[in-house]
Amino acid sequence: MKNRIKQAIYLRGSADFTSVAEYQALIDAQVAKLNQQCQTKYEQEKEHLQPLPKYRTPDYEVLTAKVSKRSTIDVRCILYTVPSRLIGRQLELHLYHDRIVGYLERHPVVELPRKRVSGKGKRRDRCINYRHVIGSMRLKPRALSIAPGNQTYFPILNTAKFGNSSKLNLTWSRLPKSSLKVSILLQFKIKSRP
């Protein structure tokens, strides 16, 4: 099946898709083409098949993870942030193919996009949502100056704009990418504009 999909992408001329739905449509077309080849045999066997089970089988894997004091969980070598109110709690995680749902005492408390390690030789990665840690960072904004990859936490650092004030924009661009910018943003809640 993988070879069929590779060939279909090759015949298409490009491996770039505008959306996941477009890629899924290509896969569905290849599956339908493969199923057509054995349609007559399927019709013969169909009368001997048993009915499907009443309840759907789970299409996820269950893991547990404890939320660290930094409001993170580690799932399959990927570091994810979760809301800071969950620090110290044990979460039951349902790993779907495209998302992770965290449950606390059988109640869903967080849903995260599923990320996979990409790149040769890369074993670990992280999926940081600054909205999860902004509350605790607001209490101690300088904590980010020593954090590795603070650009990952706050992508807003380079994109904040101050209207038409060229002096203020120039000063902002000259500031180091540190907790000073984070402190300013947290205190004044400046909106970013791309």
Side-chain angles (χ1 to χ4, degrees), residues 88-153:
R89 301 293 188 106
Q90 188 82 16
L91 297 180
E92 180 180 296
L93 304 173
H94 292 191
L95 273 68
Y96 295 90
H97 75 283
D98 61 340
R99 69 191 191 283
I100 299 172
V101 181
Y103 290 87
L104 181 64
E105 298 172 359
R106 299 186 186 200
H107 299 289
V109 290
V110 66
E111 185 169 332
L112 306 165
R114 178 93 185 260
K115 189 171 182 180
R116 289 178 172 79
V117 177
S118 59
K120 268 193 166 174
K122 202 172 177 187
R123 292 186 52 202
R124 297 190 64 82
D125 207 350
R126 54 186 164 198
C127 182
I128 308 295
N129 184 344
Y130 78 92
R131 288 176 185 87
H132 291 154
V133 293
I134 194 102
S136 57
M137 288 295 124
R138 198 161 179 194
L139 300 174
K140 43 187 175 180
R142 290 232 180 255
L144 221 63
S145 63
I146 58 170
N150 62 4
Q151 195 64 27
T152 308
Y153 280 97

Side-chain angles (χ1 to χ4, degrees), residues 9-24:
I9 291 172
Y10 180 73
L11 291 173
R12 185 175 178 264
S14 172
D16 297 330
F17 294 91
T18 57
S19 67
V20 175
E22 184 181 350
Y23 180 62
Q24 188 65 45

